[in-house]
């Protein structure tokens, strides 16, 4: 069976660098940090008191009050990003109805979140703990919290009745969503899938929990430089929040309706480290296998890749093994590739990370701009100095093919490859 | 309007996102004010909290309109 081709026809985002695609791309290109002191809750007693928060977001501007109350913040972000992508793809008409010719039974939603409604869970349980033991849970507690509900809400909003579910693999979740969406369309199970991921864990449970693992940077005196992948002074990741959305569509379907095509999704690869709860395999072997699988799936050679958007979280343990894994796959071609960690700017959106990073790859392919890795003042000497980490400033380069890595606690590795449409 | 009825209307306006003018005594939560089953449960919980009363499930099932709620709560409070 010949597999159908899959392309990106719509994009949307709300994240620490911007509340839409244009703002996001502009700040990615400029090399802006999204990190600021936490405003979402009183973090004065926390080891980490900053994060990459979404800025200037008022749910009431997007939803009526009754709706907004029923959505956890991660679902609010999902609906905002998905709406932009759906509009951008031309799936809706001027009156926000579904455009003519779109068969809603053939449109699915595969939407990721690493944690789901952690804030809702925290608030409801805190409320119970404050009482006398009488259960007073809000009836929306469960449907607000569960990680799959964003996918459900997107489908209900537009009436998309195709395959619908959530992928959960911690910080790798969104890439798993893209890979599933890619395969569903390839296999003919749907013609269009709204895919992506969102996370909203800048709250006492999220920050406190990751702090307890010693996973977060504690550079409280200078948040903007705290996310510094590949720098000797890196001391943990910076929590981000937000969402990224892609409309993935079967190639002929997209062509037939004259949709703008940003890039083709040519392959995905997945693997497990089977090594440790949180630490990556020191040789990056699991990461390497995910990249090899993705190349094989895409029918490409390592030499075809021009840009790699790394997982690069700015943790002492994680950054080097990934580069070791890349080197094992790419050999000497690694010196010809642009590599960058856009988490140096966006922070780490956990289950939404791969979604905003896919958008960075699309910017590179569609606009010929490679976003930089910022904040590296003292490059880690363990890193081969011939590797181009795109330090400091964005680089103009014609990018035909971009590869995006993400890895999650539990040892989940996933790689997605995007390419210019030929 | 009594204190109880104005407070009941206020809660309904807040939880169901409707206009106060719609929350007339004969208005049904589900048929007229757009509430689903979970919204109704939430409303009952809010009445319990606001008026410091307990509404057993068998009573809650019978509270279908704005007027039902006001009458029931007034009965409990007097």
């Amino acid at each position: 069976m010949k597999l159908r081709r899959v392309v990106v026809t719509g994009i949307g985002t709300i994240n620490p660098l911007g509340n839409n695609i244009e703002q996001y791309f502009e700040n990615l290109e400029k090399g802006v940090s999204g990190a600021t002191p936490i405003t979402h809750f009183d973090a004065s007693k926390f080891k980490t008191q900053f994060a990459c928060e979404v800025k200037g977001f008022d749910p009431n501007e997007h939803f009526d009050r009754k709706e907004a109350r029923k959505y956890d913040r991660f679902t609010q972000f999902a609906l905002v990003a998905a709406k932009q992508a759906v509009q951008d793809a031309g799936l809706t008409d001027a009156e926000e109805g579904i455009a003519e010719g779109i068969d809603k039974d053939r449109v699915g939603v595969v939407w990721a979140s690493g944690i789901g409604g952690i804030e809702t869970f925290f608030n409801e349980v805190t409320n119970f703990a404050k009482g006398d033991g009488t259960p007073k849970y809000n009836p929306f507690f469960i449907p607000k919290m569960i990680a799959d509900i964003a996918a459900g809400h997107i489908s209900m909003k537009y009436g998309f009745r195709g395959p619908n579910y959530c992928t959960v693999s911690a910080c790798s979740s969104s890439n798993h969503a893209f890979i599933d969406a890619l395969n569903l369309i390839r296999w003919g199970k749907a013609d269009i899938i709204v895919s992506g991921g969102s996370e909203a864990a800048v709250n006492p449970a999220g920050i406190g929990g990751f702090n307890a693992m010693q996973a977060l940077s504690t550079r409280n005196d200078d948040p903007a430089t705290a996310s510094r992948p590949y720098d000797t002074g890196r001391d943990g990741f910076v929590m981000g929040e937000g969402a990224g959305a892609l409309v993935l569509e079967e190639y002929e379907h997209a062509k037939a309706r004259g949709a703008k095509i940003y890039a083709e999704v040519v392959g995905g690869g997945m693997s497990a480290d089977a090594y440790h709860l949180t630490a990556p395999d020191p040789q990056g072997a699991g990461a390497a296998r995910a990249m090899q699988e993705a190349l094989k799936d895409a029918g490409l050679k390592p030499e075809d890749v021009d840009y790699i958007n790394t997982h690069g979280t700015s943790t002492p343990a994680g950054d080097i093994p990934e580069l070791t894994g890349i080197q094992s796959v790419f050999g000497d071609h690694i010196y010809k590739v642009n590599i960058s960690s856009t988490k140096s700017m966006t922070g780490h959106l956990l289950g939404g990370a791969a979604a905003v990073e896919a958008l960075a790859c699309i910017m590179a392919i569609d606009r010929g701009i490679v976003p930089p890795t910022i904040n590296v003042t003292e490059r880690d000497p363990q890193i081969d100095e011939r590797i181009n980490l795109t330090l400091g400033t964005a680089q103009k380069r014609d990018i035909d093919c971009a590869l995006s890595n993400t890895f999650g606690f539990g040892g989940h590795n996933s790689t997605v490859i995007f390419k210019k449409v030929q | 309007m009594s204190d109880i009825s104005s407070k009941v209307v206020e809660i309904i306006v807040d939880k169901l996102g409707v206009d106060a003018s719609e929350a007339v005594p004969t208005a049904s939560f589900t048929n007229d004010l757009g509430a689903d089953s979970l919204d109704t449960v939430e409303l009952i919980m809010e009445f319990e909290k606001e008026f410091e009363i307990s509404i057993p499930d068998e009573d809650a099932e019978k509270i279908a309109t704005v007027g039902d709620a006001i009458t029931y709560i007034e009965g409990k409070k007097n």
Side-chain angles (χ1 to χ4, degrees):
Chain A
M1 186 177 111
K2 194 172 181 309
L3 292 175
R4 307 198 306 167
R5 293 172 70 186
V6 178
V7 293
V8 180
T9 56
I11 51 179
T13 192
I14 174 163
N15 73 53
L17 296 188
N19 295 357
N20 57 54
I21 289 288
E22 280 312 315
Q23 274 177 10
Y24 176 45
F25 284 1
E26 192 185 319
N27 285 326
L28 271 184
E29 185 179 354
K30 278 194 210 150
V32 172
S33 165
T36 45
I38 289 172
T39 61
H40 198 55
F41 71 99
D42 176 8
S44 57
K45 290 188 179 160
F46 286 67
K47 277 195 287 188
T48 296
Q49 298 171 3
F50 61 94
C52 288
E53 291 181 330
V54 164
K55 292 151 194 84
F57 172 64
D58 176 3
N60 294 315
E61 284 175 16
H62 299 271
F63 315 105
D64 77 40
R65 212 161 34 88
K66 183 186 163 195
E67 270 185 297
R69 270 191 318 112
K70 295 180 185 177
Y71 305 145
D72 185 271
R73 192 169 165 88
F74 94 97
T75 300
Q76 295 176 351
F77 291 154
L79 285 164
V80 170
K83 181 180 178 179
Q84 293 173 17
V86 162
Q87 278 178 342
D88 185 43
L91 302 186
T92 44
D93 58 25
E95 282 87 45
E96 275 205 67
I98 298 301
E100 216 181 298
I102 302 294
D103 178 356
K104 291 190 275 190
D105 288 346
R106 300 285 300 162
V107 185
V109 182
V110 182
W111 193 270
S113 182
I115 311 179
I118 188 172
E119 183 154 313
T120 296
F121 184 81
F122 177 79
N123 290 342
E124 288 290 329
V125 172
T126 303
N127 190 39
F128 176 72
K130 279 183 189 157
D132 65 359
T134 312
K136 288 283 179 194
Y137 293 101
N138 187 287
F140 295 102
F141 168 27
I142 301 296
K144 224 173 131 174
M145 170 196 73
I146 49 181
D148 59 288
I149 206 69
H153 279 299
I154 294 168
S155 75
M156 283 178 262
K157 177 167 178 184
Y158 297 102
F160 295 151
R161 295 181 295 245
N164 189 288
Y165 58 92
C166 171
T167 53
V168 179
S169 52
C171 306
S172 193
S173 303
S174 287
N175 260 355
H176 280 104
F178 295 140
I179 294 168
D180 269 16
L182 166 67
N183 287 329
L184 288 169
I185 298 173
R186 276 173 163 176
W187 297 334
K189 308 287 184 194
D191 295 327
I192 297 175
I193 296 202
V194 180
S195 191
S198 57
E199 205 76 78
V202 183
N203 47 50
I207 296 290
F210 281 103
N211 258 164
M213 296 174 66
Q214 317 255 18
L216 297 179
S217 168
T218 55
R219 197 178 287 262
N220 292 315
D221 57 345
D222 193 6
T225 68
S227 187
R228 47 199 311 136
Y230 314 121
D231 185 272
T232 48
R234 67 187 186 276
D235 71 330
F237 76 81
V238 177
M239 177 91 76
E241 62 171 1
L246 303 184
V247 171
L248 303 186
E249 184 167 358
E250 194 270 320
Y251 178 52
E252 296 297 336
H253 192 276
K255 264 204 320 191
R257 67 183 189 91
K260 172 175 166 66
I261 295 174
Y262 289 95
E264 180 169 359
V265 189
V266 286
M270 303 176 271
S271 73
D273 275 4
Y275 174 73
H276 183 268
L277 195 62
T278 56
D281 175 320
Q283 296 308 311
R289 277 192 305 112
M291 288 182 264
Q292 280 158 348
E293 286 296 319
L295 287 166
K296 197 170 101 189
D297 190 43
L300 295 175
K301 300 184 297 295
E303 293 73 33
D304 295 321
V305 174
D306 306 307
Y307 169 51
I308 299 175
N309 187 299
T310 57
H311 189 53
T313 56
S314 183
T315 59
D319 293 3
I320 303 295
E322 181 183 9
L323 291 179
T324 307
I326 293 173
Q327 204 144 13
S328 75
V329 174
F330 286 83
D332 281 353
H333 181 67
I334 194 174
Y335 306 126
K336 295 180 184 160
V337 173
N338 269 87
I339 290 177
S340 70
S341 166
T342 44
K343 287 188 181 79
S344 59
M345 297 175 274
T346 61
H348 187 358
L349 273 72
L350 312 177
V356 293
E357 287 155 27
L359 294 170
C361 291
I362 285 165
M363 174 173 102
I365 290 170
D366 190 53
R367 303 194 179 183
I369 295 161
V370 179
T373 307
I374 66 165
N375 291 329
V376 178
T377 51
E378 195 181 324
R379 182 180 166 125
D380 190 326
Q382 294 178 80
I383 301 169
D384 185 334
E385 59 191 21
R386 290 169 292 177
I387 295 176
N388 179 4
L389 295 169
T390 324
L391 298 181
T393 47
Q395 199 176 312
K396 282 202 164 58
R397 175 174 175 178
D398 185 30
I399 300 293
D400 179 64
C401 181
L403 177 151
S404 175
N405 281 336
T406 47
F407 317 126
F409 287 165
H412 323 287
N413 308 303
S414 57
T415 301
V416 174
I417 304 178
F418 300 91
K419 199 171 181 306
K420 262 190 190 144
V421 171
Q422 249 107 49
Chain B
M1 209 188 274
S2 72
D3 283 355
I4 287 177
S5 54
S6 61
K7 194 69 210 174
V8 165
V9 169
E10 196 181 303
I11 290 168
I12 291 165
V13 166
D14 178 52
K15 294 291 174 195
L16 301 185
V18 294
D19 209 72
S21 63
E22 297 172 79
V24 293
T26 53
S28 151
F29 299 138
T30 50
N31 298 334
D32 302 317
L33 302 179
D36 63 21
S37 59
L38 295 182
D39 291 319
T40 314
V41 176
E42 197 184 27
L43 267 185
I44 298 290
M45 287 178 62
E46 199 58 32
F47 295 149
E48 289 182 309
K49 194 169 126 199
E50 177 63 35
F51 298 106
E52 297 174 322
I53 55 174
S54 167
I55 307 178
D57 287 351
E58 54 272 27
D59 290 356
E61 283 166 20
K62 293 178 201 137
I63 303 175
T65 65
V66 177
D68 291 346
I70 294 168
T71 310
Y72 181 85
I73 294 163
E74 282 177 344
K76 279 268 189 180
K77 297 298 281 183
N78 295 328

